[in-house]
């Protein structure tokens, strides 16, 4: 829940683990066991799923990037394309960039 609620900012496994009162290595191990994903993969997936819904709702790419925790819209666009196979503009329904 912490990841889904806080993915807009800078997240670290250390900060999340401290909030939960466990070690970072324990948290990472348990997350991998439960989801099959590393912490970074899980955070990226949460961010990209939220980005898809924002873009589909008509948000601009730069607004979406900021809303899901990316400072650079260009970097966000490259991560989004790698994750979804389409550009953010395609997800918005606007065709290719």
């Amino acid at each position: 829940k912490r990841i889904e609620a806080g993915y807009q900012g800078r997240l670290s496994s250390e900060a999340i683990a401290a909030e939960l009162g466990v070690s970072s290595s324990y948290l990472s191990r348990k997350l991998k066991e439960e989801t099959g994903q590393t912490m970074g993969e899980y955070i990226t997936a949460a961010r990209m799923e939220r980005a898809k819904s924002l873009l589909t709702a008509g948000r601009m790419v730069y607004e979406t990037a900021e809303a899901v925790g990316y400072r650079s819209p260009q970097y966000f666009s490259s991560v989004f394309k790698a994750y979804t196979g389409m550009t953010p503009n395609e997800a918005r329904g606007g065709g290719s960039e």
Side-chain angles (χ1 to χ4, degrees):
K1 294 265 187 221
R2 165 71 170 97
I3 292 171
E4 288 82 0
Y7 56 75
Q8 301 93 332
R10 298 176 73 69
L11 289 176
S12 70
S13 58
E14 292 80 14
I16 295 167
E19 189 173 308
L20 296 172
V22 298
S23 73
S24 175
S25 60
Y26 174 81
L27 177 62
S28 295
R29 187 173 59 255
K30 292 305 281 182
L31 185 67
K32 182 77 170 179
E33 286 174 12
E34 296 293 322
T35 68
Q37 297 176 306
T38 65
M39 181 68 71
E41 292 166 340
Y42 191 85
I43 291 168
T44 297
R47 286 177 165 156
M48 294 300 106
E49 291 303 318
R50 178 67 178 143
K52 283 195 288 188
S53 66
L54 292 171
L55 291 165
T56 302
R59 295 278 294 267
M60 299 297 292
V61 174
Y62 73 90
E63 293 172 322
T64 301
E66 186 177 303
V68 298
Y70 288 87
R71 292 182 179 160
S72 165
Q74 294 80 13
Y75 181 66
F76 162 74
S77 293
S78 68
V79 173
F80 187 87
K81 179 152 182 148
Y83 183 82
T84 66
M86 65 182 131
T87 68
N89 279 333
E90 289 170 337
R92 288 182 73 226
S96 65
E97 295 177 300

